[in-house]
Amino acid sequence: MKRRLELLLPLLAACAHTAPPATTPNPPAVEISTPRRAWWKQVVVYQVYPRSFQDSDNNGVGDLRGIVSRLNYIKSLGVDVVWLNPVYQSPNDDNGYDISDYRAIMPEMGTMADFDSLLQGLHRRGIKLVMDLVVNHTSDEHPWFQQSRSSRTNPYRDFYHWWPAERGTPAKRWSFFDEEGSAWRYDSTTQAFYLHYFSRKQPDLKWENPRVRREVYDIMRFWFDKGVDGFRMDVIPFISKDTTFPPLPAAYHGDYVAYYAKGPKVHEYLQEMNREVLSKYDIMTVGEGGGVAVEDALKFVAEDRHELQTFFQFELVDHWGRRPGNWLYPDSSNRSLPALKGIFTKWDSVFATSGWGTVFLGNHDQSRMVSRYGNDTPRYRNASAKMLQTLLLTMRATPYIYDGDELGMANIRFTDIRDYRDLMTINYYNRLKREGGDLREFLAGQAELSRDNGRTPMQWSADSNAGFTAGVPWIRINPDYRMVNVAAEERDTGSVLHYFRRMIQLRKSEPLLVYGKYQLLDRENPEVFAYTRSLQGRTLMVALSFSAKGGMTALPAGYTSGKILINNLASSPLQGTRLELGAYQAVVLELTRD
Ligand code: GLC
């Protein structure tokens, strides 16, 4: 019998808030429902995973100087913002998401001077920098925690959540990463349990303590005063806890993420953060919004609430192709295109008149988008990667593109546990092994879903180690780098990379693709995702085939023809008012009525 691991995948939440409205002073007369304009709605964000981007000192780990050496490449993509995963001082239990000094750079990544030169290099090129803000928890090696755990009367005791052992065992809280599944860890020094939603080395900060909040705001000011342009806020909906720690209501067993995202004071804290810090700077914010239900979305991002500007919602990436209730395992029956369309459409409608959305299909916590939502076999990889880029860049939401997805990088699919570096895969494996579970099945699942699929080094060239490092890479490089790499794709004008640049230029030249009204077409079509975007009397249609069989759809009623603005295949799908799409074909058409 299979054992069910009771832990869900880290869903990695995000939220953002209302920035000082960078709206145009006199917005043109447009449809009533057209959202207010703001620079952070118009940008395309490129996520750089620093460990895996470019190594400059040949220790096998990507670093800040490595990124600096690639700034012209980043500029050439046409992106406006770089989101950088954590580079702060960290023992790296969770690749930098366990911070031991928020004002220092980890030596593996370089120095503060390297950081400054990265920031200047980006700004010189007109690109903004968004940093990761990881303040639901610190590292257990942070001086605050070292103090806190040293005695019950230490002034930092109340920086973390402690449950004294004489009160018995605290009510169950699940951990995303813990080998035993519990978010409470007994600490013998003071005979008490501390709370850690993530690994044992990531104790949760006690936001209920105003001193904690003041420290966090100071950290934020430090980076804003340096000139950074925003924060991506790690698991920000989890910061508030019911500190009486009652038993988890039964409804949340199996979906404790939703409980974690509903802390009693989360909005109070975000409003305070906004008042104290965010409102004072012209910056952008995106929260990692795992667990946030669609009905709660506007509480985080409606302009009049003064919290965040945007957040990442996880409804699609947490469920598509995953086993319900246990996201560590794949389930290919759970991939319905009508369901995917429903999710995009529902979230678009939430933000139609207030707030603003984001769209992403890959990041450092996900497997590669072309492997998961497209088709990475040699025949279809190119077309399906371009098709997914077309989706990302034609939604009414701020698009986030994960590094390597501009090339169509694919899952590495490790088969040996020794190749993995992610503590989540390793800890679950060890737990399953101890419990006598099915390790082969687990590894087969991780080959598709593991976070390490998205963390293999950037493929720059066909040279050794893909041009990433002259040392030994910290994680194996996908052997397909000999074919799929920047240098090869630069030479081939039909490459995924060239298409990505063209697609970005299209989005940039068409404010309609940012602000235009979104309307789903052909809802039940199992092979084609089609929609229109319209603004000020103009309508574009986007048609995307999600199938190796292609698919059929039609122009919406009232339109007789369309001019193709971009097409990922050589052949036109237009047959009168019908579209006959090839395998993974993507087109954007400007619709006309004759
Ligand atoms: C977020 C990060 C993820 C990390 C976790 C704990 O979900 O994206 O990488 O493991 O938070 O900080």
Side-chain angles (χ1 to χ4, degrees):
M1 216 187 57
K2 291 171 195 152
R3 284 202 76 110
R4 270 176 56 119
L5 292 176
E6 291 170 285
L7 300 169
L8 302 181
L9 242 215
L11 46 77
L12 330 320
C15 299
H17 119 112
T18 311
T23 48
T24 49
N26 288 308
V30 290
E31 287 117 86
I32 304 275
S33 67
T34 301
R36 270 200 295 162
R37 298 188 175 211
W39 65 262
W40 46 268
K41 297 181 179 174
Q42 293 165 198
V43 295
V44 175
V45 185
Y46 183 64
Q47 181 187 349
V48 171
Y49 193 63
R51 282 188 93 68
S52 297
F53 200 64
Q54 176 69 66
D55 181 14
S56 73
D57 56 4
N58 300 327
N59 65 353
V61 176
D63 49 45
L64 293 168
R65 282 178 183 220
I67 304 171
V68 170
S69 73
R70 295 296 186 178
L71 287 178
N72 288 340
Y73 169 76
I74 295 175
K75 176 69 185 166
S76 79
L77 299 174
V79 298
D80 311 281
V81 176
V82 163
W83 155 28
L84 190 65
N85 291 94
V87 292
Y88 313 98
Q89 181 72 264
S90 162
N92 274 316
D93 187 50
D94 184 21
N95 288 7
Y97 282 92
D98 47 316
I99 296 171
S100 53
D101 185 344
Y102 288 92
R103 291 181 179 80
I105 301 294
M106 75 171 90
E108 267 182 329
M109 292 288 158
T111 62
M112 195 56 95
D114 297 332
F115 174 82
D116 292 339
S117 76
L118 172 62
L119 184 61
Q120 280 159 21
L122 285 166
H123 283 172
R124 247 198 330 270
R125 290 169 178 81
I127 300 173
K128 294 181 186 289
L129 178 64
V130 164
M131 301 282 282
D132 228 298
L133 181 73
V134 188
V135 288
N136 172 69
H137 44 269
T138 67
S139 163
D140 66 342
E141 296 181 32
H142 193 289
W144 297 336
F145 190 72
Q146 304 276 304
Q147 295 276 329
S148 185
R149 82 183 334 173
S150 67
S151 92
R152 287 192 181 191
T153 53
N154 186 281
Y156 286 91
R157 183 65 168 181
D158 215 25
F159 265 49
Y160 296 86
H161 297 280
W162 289 100
W163 183 274
E166 64 274 16
R167 291 176 62 190
T169 308
K172 179 84 190 169
R173 289 292 180 273
W174 306 97
S175 158
F176 291 97
F177 297 157
D178 192 82
E179 278 191 44
E180 279 150 27
S182 170
W184 290 109
R185 175 89 183 149
Y186 180 68
D187 198 42
S188 58
T189 315
T190 57
Q191 291 153 17
F193 297 86
Y194 66 85
L195 185 73
H196 64 91
Y197 280 176
F198 293 89
S199 89
R200 294 168 187 184
K201 287 185 66 59
Q202 294 170 295
D204 283 43
L205 279 167
K206 188 169 178 185
W207 274 68
E208 290 69 21
N209 178 350
R211 280 182 63 208
V212 167
R213 306 205 297 277
R214 275 201 297 276
E215 291 282 0
V216 170
Y217 304 154
D218 271 355
I219 292 165
M220 295 172 72
R221 287 187 201 105
F222 172 85
W223 291 99
F224 283 145
D225 293 343
K226 258 188 173 298
V228 312
D229 304 288
F231 280 118
R232 173 269 187 190
M233 301 189 190
D234 193 63
V235 295
I236 197 77
F238 297 0
I239 53 179
S240 155
K241 277 102 183 168
D242 176 345
T243 53
T244 65
F245 294 105
L248 199 66
Y252 294 105
H253 286 266
D255 191 12
Y256 58 90
V257 181
Y259 179 79
Y260 289 177
K262 275 192 204 302
K265 295 197 170 165
V266 59
H267 297 292
E268 187 182 314
Y269 298 155
L270 289 176
Q271 284 167 16
E272 182 184 83
M273 179 197 278
N274 186 303
R275 216 169 36 243
E276 296 286 322
V277 191
L278 300 173
S279 61
K280 314 248 195 270
Y281 300 87
D282 183 16
I283 44 80
M284 63 184 276
T285 52
V286 55
E288 193 198 17
V292 176
V294 74
E295 11 353 316
D296 293 328
L298 288 177
K299 292 188 192 150
F300 288 88
V301 299
E303 286 84 355
D304 58 359
R305 294 199 35 105
H306 304 287
E307 296 189 19
L308 301 173
Q309 289 164 340
T310 57
F311 69 83
F312 298 128
Q313 57 85 8
F314 284 79
E315 192 170 338
L316 179 71
V317 299
D318 277 351
H319 299 292
W320 173 269
R322 287 188 158 147
R323 193 185 287 177
N326 189 329
W327 307 336
L328 284 169
Y329 290 86
D331 176 353
S332 56
S333 67
N334 192 13
R335 288 168 187 260
S336 124
L337 187 62
L340 177 146
K341 299 184 219 179
I343 293 171
F344 277 104
T345 306
K346 177 170 72 178
W347 282 89
D348 175 81
S349 72
V350 173
F351 301 125
T353 52
S354 178
W356 187 250
T358 61
V359 55
F360 70 99
L361 290 171
N363 66 28
H364 64 292
D365 294 323
Q366 306 290 327
S367 47
R368 284 284 172 186
M369 78 173 186
V370 71
S371 304
R372 208 160 155 220
Y373 305 93
N375 184 330
D376 64 14
T377 59
R379 187 157 172 206
Y380 299 120
R381 175 166 173 164
N382 186 308
S384 66
K386 293 174 180 173
M387 184 276 287
L388 295 167
Q389 292 175 348
T390 315
L391 167 62
L392 289 169
L393 291 162
T394 55
M395 279 285 151
R396 177 163 62 179
T398 301
Y400 285 73
I401 314 290
Y402 184 51
D403 61 24
D405 284 348
E406 77 274 26
L407 307 175
M409 276 177 61
N411 286 352
I412 190 164
R413 301 192 173 89
F414 290 137
T415 52
D416 187 332
I417 187 65
R418 287 170 299 188
D419 285 329
Y420 282 98
R421 298 290 174 268
D422 180 12
L423 85 167
M424 184 165 71
T425 301
I426 295 168
N427 287 354
Y428 282 122
Y429 179 90
N430 290 339
R431 178 173 172 197
L432 203 58
K433 193 167 173 190
R434 220 178 31 248
E435 294 175 349
D438 187 340
L439 295 173
R440 276 187 52 189
E441 183 200 29
F442 176 74
L443 284 178
Q446 287 299 284
E448 291 307 321
L449 290 179
S450 150
R451 305 198 296 180
D452 278 343
N453 278 308
R455 296 177 178 186
T456 62
M458 183 72 181
Q459 297 169 196
W460 294 105
S461 70
D463 300 342
S464 74
N465 290 329
F468 165 68
T469 181
V472 180
W474 71 277
I475 187 169
R476 271 179 52 201
I477 295 176
N478 194 321
D480 73 8
Y481 78 84
R482 292 182 188 85
M483 305 292 296
V484 178
N485 61 64
V486 173
E489 295 203 23
E490 291 284 12
R491 287 191 297 268
D492 171 7
T493 53
S495 67
V496 179
L497 176 61
H498 277 272
Y499 184 87
F500 180 67
R501 291 188 178 124
R502 284 205 297 279
M503 198 52 239
I504 290 201
Q505 289 322 312
L506 180 62
R507 185 170 177 101
K508 290 295 179 62
S509 62
E510 286 287 357
L512 181 162
L513 284 176
V514 177
Y515 294 109
K517 182 171 179 259
Y518 160 96
Q519 176 95 49
L520 178 64
L521 307 170
D522 207 357
R523 176 177 295 267
E524 297 308 323
N525 189 321
E527 277 137 9
V528 179
F529 187 4
Y531 44 94
T532 52
R533 303 289 315 276
S534 15
L535 188 71
Q536 294 171 303
R538 290 178 62 227
T539 299
L540 303 190
M541 174 176 179
V542 181
L544 311 168
S545 153
F546 268 73
S547 164
K549 290 186 289 195
M552 310 271 224
T553 189
L555 302 184
Y559 292 97
T560 48
S561 185
K563 179 178 150 219
I564 296 183
L565 303 183
I566 199 161
N567 182 356
N568 70 343
L569 300 184
S571 58
S572 166
L574 261 180
Q575 308 286 335
T577 58
R578 291 176 56 72
L579 278 92
E580 293 181 13
L581 296 158
Y584 299 103
Q585 188 161 20
V587 280
V588 180
L589 313 159
E590 171 142 21
L591 297 180
T592 51
R593 309 166 202 265
D594 289 338

